[in-house]
């Protein structure tokens, strides 16, 4: 098992990560081909963040990867729990989720302080879903295919072009 982390991390975490030979940390910007290769070499896309990264999720789905993500703002518009991934119940520690400004409040001192607290329940929930996908390759494959189907039916260039054509046709009428 190998974990690839593709994001910038604080220096205090970087030193701990670099000691583990089963973890690869990619903090620099990579080319689209390198990114595609990273997706092709992956089995699971783990997105345990407090802000939804839509493009990364759609890209991972297009490569047939099941998604594991926190069930935060708008995530359930793209991931159906048990269908194309798993939604992990969000942290009870983070009060900012109930703030009307969420997710625009991600950079406030309060939010940053809250997300730095370790929520062992979240970690346990994520680990259980990762373990399930590792132990059940057929589930992993089915969820990945379901994700590709979602991309094809809702987010493909063809679907987008048809929607744009419809808008233009309506304007011209």
């Amino acid at each position: 098992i190998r974990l690839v982390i593709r994001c910038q991390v604080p220096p205090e975490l970087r030193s701990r990560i670099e000691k583990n030979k089963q973890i690869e940390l990619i903090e620099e910007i990579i080319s689209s081909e390198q990114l595609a290769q990273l997706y092709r070499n992956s089995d699971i896309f783990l997105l345990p963040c407090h802000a939804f990264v839509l493009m990364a999720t759609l890209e991972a789905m297009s490569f047939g990867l099941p998604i594991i993500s926190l069930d935060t703002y708008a995530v359930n518009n793209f991931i159906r729990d048990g269908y194309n991934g798993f939604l992990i119940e969000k942290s009870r520690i983070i009060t900012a989720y109930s703030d009307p400004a969420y997710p625009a409040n991600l950079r406030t001192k309060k939010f940053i302080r809250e997300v730095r607290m370790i929520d062992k329940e979240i970690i346990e929930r994520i680990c259980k879903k990762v373990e399930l996908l590792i132990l059940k390759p057929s589930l992993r494959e089915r969820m990945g295919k379901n994700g590709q189907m979602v991309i094809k039916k809702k987010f493909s260039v063809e679907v987008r072009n048809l929607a744009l054509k419809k808008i233009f046709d309506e304007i011209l009428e």
Side-chain angles (χ1 to χ4, degrees):
I1 293 177
R2 196 167 137 254
L3 173 66
V4 177
I5 299 173
R6 189 180 158 266
C7 69
Q8 292 187 343
V9 297
E12 64 273 13
L13 287 178
R14 186 180 307 116
S15 61
R16 290 173 52 194
I17 290 168
E18 289 172 343
K19 290 177 185 173
N20 189 325
K21 300 300 176 198
Q22 290 179 289
I23 300 176
E24 178 184 352
L25 178 61
I26 302 172
E27 291 186 283
E28 68 275 0
I29 295 172
I30 60 176
S31 71
S32 56
E33 182 49 44
Q34 289 171 308
L35 180 60
Q37 191 60 42
L38 186 57
Y39 284 126
R40 283 191 290 270
N41 291 338
S42 299
D43 295 306
I44 300 167
F45 187 76
L46 182 58
L47 191 66
C49 60
H50 303 281
F52 185 47
V53 185
L54 175 61
M55 286 310 297
T57 302
L58 295 178
E59 287 170 349
M61 286 169 55
S62 74
F63 280 89
L65 298 176
I67 314 293
I68 299 175
S69 180
L70 292 182
D71 190 7
T72 58
Y73 182 81
V75 173
N76 60 14
N77 290 334
F78 303 92
I79 300 169
R80 277 188 26 217
D81 190 45
Y83 179 74
N84 60 335
F86 289 117
L87 295 174
I88 306 298
E89 181 184 343
K90 60 189 170 200
S91 176
R92 293 183 196 116
I93 293 173
I94 300 174
T95 60
Y97 288 143
S98 59
D99 184 330
Y102 179 76
N105 63 351
L106 296 175
R107 301 269 184 230
T108 64
K109 288 179 182 177
K110 178 183 176 188
F111 190 84
I112 291 170
R113 186 176 56 252
E114 287 181 350
V115 298
R116 286 190 173 174
M117 293 187 284
I118 295 173
D119 187 335
K120 291 182 180 181
E121 287 181 14
I122 294 288
I123 294 168
E124 186 177 312
R125 286 185 212 131
I126 291 170
C127 288
K128 284 181 179 179
K129 297 302 182 182
V130 169
E131 180 180 29
L132 180 62
L133 289 176
I134 289 170
L135 295 176
K136 296 193 173 200
S138 61
L139 176 62
R140 193 172 62 233
E141 187 177 324
R142 186 174 77 239
M143 285 183 160
K145 285 182 181 178
N146 289 344
Q148 285 178 313
M149 199 60 112
V150 169
I151 292 294
K152 186 176 182 179
K153 288 182 177 180
K154 289 186 174 183
F155 303 106
S156 68
V157 172
E158 294 81 12
V159 169
R160 197 172 55 219
N161 287 346
L162 286 173
L164 283 172
K165 183 181 181 322
K166 181 180 177 189
I167 291 169
F168 288 133
D169 288 347
E170 288 174 3
I171 291 170
L172 295 174
E173 288 179 356

